[in-house]
Amino acid sequence: MMAERREFDLTLFGATGFVGETTARYLAGAAGDSARIALAGRSPEKLRALRDSLGPGAANWRLIVADAADQDTLDTLAARTAVVITTVGPYQRYGLPLVAACAEAGTHYADLTGESIFTRDVIDRYHSRAVATGAKIVTSCGFDSIPSDLSVYQLYRAVVADGAGELEDTTLVATVKGGVSGGTIDSARAMWETIAADPAAEMQISDPYSLSPDKSREPRVGRQSDHAFGRAAAITPSLRGWVGTFVMAPHNTKIVRRSNGLLGWVYGANFRYREVMDAGTSPAAPLIAAAAAGGVVAGMRTVAVLSRSSPGRRLLDRVLPAPGTGPDEKARAQGWFRMTTHTRTSTGAEYLATFAGQGDPGYQATAVMLGESGLCLAFDGARLSESAGILTPATAMGEALTDRLRATGMVIDVVARPHRS
């Protein structure tokens, strides 16, 4: 990665925030005694208190004072470490300076962003420099968008291994139990405030290929929408119940399509991808699915409208969860997720990918995903892609990250389904 050996293998920036602390606690148990880890943030007192609470596994971790608004501190941080993982969001507001520092220093980077506008901005500003320095800048390394990205990547590998053609209609069905933190709400709000200030930015949300490395090479499969409402059997006859809009689909689907492009559009000439939410089979399921389909759009539009004025922003401040808040430890432990991705190939074969895990998907499971992404970038160099630049989880870490997450207890597998005529 870089000619010299850095002072740290891995640095966690934003360690004292809600997700940052959860990630630090995960790393304290998972990293191993030989890993040279640092915790970074604005407050040395909070960093010290966090380290002291992590137990003997973190006793020798170093502390770095750095501020997202102070470029010099970020440049120094990036120069000292081989890998940075960051939980400091909303990334559209606070994330660009750290990416700039890592791209310049040749430092690998992973974040948790679900903000497509930020990701597009990072590509436009820093991809070329990161390629030149060898930095792997990997966005969306949490529940946004590792299950989506790795599931489709593993489907592709299985289909190729079986000689079963190319991926065509592919749909992820999400079933989750988890809470929402103030940080997640604030990230969504930051994105819609950007749109309110620059309406042209909305095209980056509505365009399914807005993160593509080359739109002219994308599959010609007609209009694709992230809004859904209908019977699950329309995806495959074995499914029951109803599906609706999955709130994370607008970002996840773009990450999956970017992976396809970065890999040379290998998923297929007619690869078509979408994500939906499982609304269940109860008598109320059609209403739940319809509410999801309409509620996501209505909520986004409401935030966008309110964000255009000072009174509207003050109202949002009062009614939305504050950054730094989220589900308590018991609720995080009781959460879970199960993502099933169904595909039909150009030869008519059908495959099913499953990505499932225990723990609140947006927080407990996300801390595992981000932590393992950082460890993967730091210690699995021989198994990583040779590519550099603004990458995705699948294109940067692929099999190495898949194996790491399986070792934590997450289920990631692909099976061929009986053929239907």
Side-chain angles (χ1 to χ4, degrees), residues 3 28 45 47-48 52 141 149 160 199 251 281 326 343 399 402:
E45 294 79 16
L47 290 171
R48 190 174 298 108
D52 292 346
C141 291
D149 202 31
V160 169
H251 183 73
T281 59
T343 195
E399 284 300 294
T402 301

Side-chain angles (χ1 to χ4, degrees), residues 141-189:
C141 291
F143 194 55
D144 280 326
S145 302
I146 280 177
S148 307
D149 202 31
L150 290 186
S151 290
V152 178
Y153 178 72
Q154 292 299 335
L155 281 169
Y156 156 70
R157 286 176 56 86
V159 168
V160 169
D162 292 347
E166 298 180 332
L167 304 184
E168 292 193 341
D169 282 349
T170 304
T171 301
L172 179 147
V173 181
T175 310
V176 300
K177 178 185 178 183
V180 178
S181 84
T184 298
I185 296 294
D186 205 32
S187 290
R189 180 178 168 183

Side-chain angles (χ1 to χ4, degrees), residues 192 225-228 245 247 291-304:
W192 285 97
S225 173
D226 293 315
H227 306 300
T245 298
V247 67
V296 170
V297 176
M300 288 178 174
R301 288 176 177 168
T302 298
V303 171

Side-chain angles (χ1 to χ4, degrees), residues 260-350:
N260 185 32
L262 291 174
L263 291 169
W265 290 272
V266 295
Y267 290 171
N270 294 304
F271 175 64
R272 185 183 182 97
Y273 181 69
R274 65 175 180 147
E275 297 186 352
V276 300
M277 181 195 75
D278 181 4
T281 59
S282 72
L287 296 177
I288 296 171
V296 170
V297 176
M300 288 178 174
R301 288 176 177 168
T302 298
V303 171
V305 169
L306 291 173
S307 296
R308 293 190 180 113
S309 67
S310 295
R313 290 191 291 273
R314 287 195 294 270
L315 176 61
L316 291 173
D317 288 339
R318 289 198 298 270
V319 301
L320 295 178
T325 64
D328 62 23
E329 185 175 357
K330 181 179 179 180
R332 295 198 304 270
Q334 291 176 342
W336 53 269
F337 68 95
R338 183 176 181 84
M339 321 290 272
T340 57
T341 307
H342 307 257
T343 195
R344 186 178 177 92
T345 77
S346 56
T347 65
E350 295 188 15

Side-chain angles (χ1 to χ4, degrees), residues 122 279 373:
V122 164
S373 293

Side-chain angles (χ1 to χ4, degrees), residues 194-220:
T194 299
I195 290 171
D198 178 16
E202 188 168 3
M203 288 297 296
Q204 296 181 28
I205 304 298
S206 59
D207 180 358
Y209 297 111
S210 65
L211 303 183
S212 172
D214 184 351
K215 290 185 183 181
S216 69
R217 296 185 60 187
E218 293 294 348
R220 304 296 182 182

